[in-house]
Amino acid sequence: MRSHEIDYHIYGEEMQYVEIELDPQEAVVAEAGSFMMMESGIEMDTIFGDGSNQEKGILGKIFSAGKRVLTGESLFMTAYLNQDGGKRKVSFASPYPGKIIPIDLTEFGGKFICQKDAFLCAAKGVNVGIEFSKKLGRGLFGGEGFIMQKLEGDGMAFVHAGGTTAKKELLAGEVLKIDTGCLIGFTKDVDYDIEYIKGIKNKIFGGEGVFYARLEGPGTAYIQSLPFSRLAGRILSSLPKGGNSKGEGSILGGLGDLLDGDNRF
């Protein structure tokens, strides 16, 4: 195997974290800000890109890092290398309520395509790159633009998603239509496109936008019930106007604030 072979265990239900066991000289790479804890003997190092092009010199490092800029991620990732003589563990946490999904790239033909912010960590040697959309509709209206994230190699990778997740095994020619934000990722053989929602009433009053994602098999797709954008939108919409929160949860609402004497005009 080109990628490091790692063992892991996922803990928790709603706020999960993954614990990765490293043999001596094994390493894992992770997004900045995902680190939770590690045992002594593990050395942390900030690297350009995903570390898969380290042997190609400075140009390879710059190219690897440049790809990450296109996906909106940091130029740098963090590598955790076990420098001890025995097994050591390092853990990474999901950034918001949801699930962590283990992806064994050997089971998916060495490639998995996912949303730009879904990647959490992976065995060193896994290439974290970009996937350009060849379809104009998908690029303009797919919610992910022309660029998605691409995980390639023969090792383990971990992606995170919001809420509850569903794994769908699509047969050849089988079609699944989903909200564009609810898509986590899919295998390389799945045909992904954007479809226009029919009916003027659906567009104006449906509250679901005017496009949805269309996946056609064969292949595997992962779906999330609570995209972060939807969670953030609900939080923002529930924030009190002007920073006044006394009416929250009250039947009277703003009138309750007025009767309570908290009158700000």
Side-chain angles (χ1 to χ4, degrees):
M1 293 181 65
R2 185 178 56 137
S3 302
H4 292 194
E5 189 172 359
I6 58 176
D7 299 314
Y8 70 94
H9 188 86
I10 296 175
Y11 293 91
E13 294 297 330
E14 303 305 327
M15 287 296 295
Q16 293 187 328
Y17 73 92
V18 56
E19 180 185 78
I20 295 177
E21 184 179 78
L22 300 175
D23 291 330
Q25 298 306 307
E26 280 186 346
V28 60
V29 294
E31 288 287 3
S34 62
F35 170 72
M36 180 178 173
M37 60 182 173
M38 65 181 177
E39 296 179 342
S40 62
I42 295 179
E43 180 179 312
M44 183 174 66
D45 185 31
T46 300
I47 58 176
F48 272 111
D50 54 27
S52 61
N53 289 321
Q54 295 297 300
E55 73 281 4
K56 296 182 180 180
I58 187 63
L59 292 179
K61 296 179 183 180
I62 294 175
F63 179 71
S64 176
K67 292 188 297 183
R68 291 177 50 75
V69 172
L70 292 176
T71 63
E73 304 293 344
S74 169
L75 281 170
F76 301 94
M77 295 184 73
T78 307
Y80 299 83
L81 174 65
N82 181 8
Q83 297 278 36
D84 198 81
K87 296 178 181 291
R88 290 293 180 265
K89 297 176 181 178
V90 58
S91 300
F92 305 95
S94 178
Y96 50 86
K99 302 295 182 182
I100 295 176
I101 304 172
I103 303 294
D104 187 348
L105 292 174
T106 59
E107 296 181 359
F108 296 139
K111 182 178 178 180
F112 186 79
I113 302 166
C114 60
Q115 289 189 9
K116 292 180 290 185
D117 60 349
F119 173 72
L120 184 67
C121 61
K124 189 172 183 182
V126 171
N127 180 277
V128 184
I130 56 176
E131 178 79 4
F132 285 100
S133 173
K134 298 178 181 179
K135 298 182 179 180
L136 181 62
R138 170 179 159 185
L140 293 177
F141 308 112
E144 291 299 317
F146 287 95
I147 302 172
M148 296 184 74
Q149 207 161 40
K150 174 176 61 177
L151 308 177
E152 289 184 301
D154 54 8
M156 289 295 305
F158 300 87
V159 298
H160 63 83
T164 302
T165 61
K167 180 180 180 181
K168 296 293 185 180
E169 300 286 354
L170 301 177
L171 302 175
E174 185 178 1
V175 173
L176 181 67
K177 299 177 182 181
I178 63 173
D179 181 274
T180 54
C182 290
L183 179 63
I184 303 170
F186 50 90
T187 54
K188 62 180 182 179
D189 294 326
V190 172
D191 181 43
Y192 169 49
D193 202 357
I194 297 301
E195 189 166 312
Y196 194 63
I197 295 179
K198 298 179 181 178
I200 187 65
K201 289 189 296 183
N202 293 331
K203 299 180 183 65
I204 298 177
F205 305 111
E208 299 297 336
V210 295
F211 299 94
Y212 45 62
R214 182 184 186 276
L215 306 179
E216 183 175 346
T220 304
Y222 288 87
I223 316 300
Q224 60 184 341
S225 65
L226 184 61
F228 179 73
S229 58
R230 185 178 297 177
L231 174 63
R234 290 296 181 91
I235 294 175
L236 290 175
S237 65
S238 65
L239 290 177
K241 302 296 187 295
N244 183 10
S245 60
K246 287 190 176 182
E248 183 177 354
S250 169
I251 298 177
L252 296 176
L255 181 58
D257 292 333
L258 181 62
L259 296 176
D260 194 35
D262 193 359
N263 187 5
R264 301 178 184 177
F265 292 104

